[in-house]
Amino acid sequence: MGKSKMKVYTLEELKDQYIGPIGSPARDAHEHKLSMDLLGRAIRTIRKERNLTQEQLGELVGVQKAQISKLENGTNSATIDTILKVFSALKAEVQFNVRVNQQTLTIR
């Protein structure tokens, strides 16, 4: 008997199959959640590097500790203004790239 070849899938194929194709509501929700998780991890990592508690960072930004906790855990969709304030308080540079019709706008 010959060896049977196992089908190999790309990550994109698996995402399409199990989450949904790009542009579908399920895929958009997944990508948003992933982005918020990554943003939260970045905030937590930088906050700890700066030796700040969530409460101290909240005071610098003008929000409650609970808001910082929610941001770090990816359970809160904060406004861009709040996110910019958080990174400013952490003395971190932020850039947003918006791409529309093959044109990119960078916001700092």
Side-chain angles (χ1 to χ4, degrees):
M1 286 190 204
K3 289 185 177 180
S4 63
K5 288 193 172 185
M6 186 182 299
K7 169 93 171 106
V8 177
Y9 296 92
T10 66
L11 178 58
E12 285 306 311
E13 289 172 325
L14 291 173
K15 284 182 180 180
D16 287 348
Q17 182 177 350
Y18 292 102
I19 300 168
I22 292 174
S24 69
R27 181 70 168 264
D28 289 347
H30 170 77
E31 297 294 338
H32 176 74
K33 175 73 172 128
L34 181 60
S35 295
M36 291 308 294
D37 286 346
L38 292 173
L39 186 66
R41 287 181 189 189
I43 291 169
R44 178 183 292 119
T45 299
I46 298 167
R47 175 182 60 78
K48 288 183 175 184
E49 286 175 359
R50 305 287 191 265
N51 294 314
L52 293 170
T53 65
Q54 289 179 339
E55 187 171 354
Q56 290 169 326
L57 179 56
E59 288 173 6
L60 291 172
V61 176
V63 299
Q64 297 293 318
K65 174 188 180 244
Q67 175 82 10
I68 300 300
S69 176
K70 288 178 182 178
L71 276 172
E72 289 184 357
N73 290 309
T75 58
N76 186 12
S77 294
T79 65
I80 290 175
D81 185 54
T82 300
I83 292 168
L84 291 173
K85 286 179 181 178
V86 167
F87 282 112
S88 176
L90 293 170
K91 297 181 179 23
E93 182 182 321
V94 176
Q95 289 183 334
F96 290 101
N97 292 317
V98 179
R99 188 162 180 83
V100 179
N101 298 332
Q102 306 301 323
Q103 295 180 0
T104 301
L105 170 68
T106 300
I107 302 168
R108 295 177 190 225

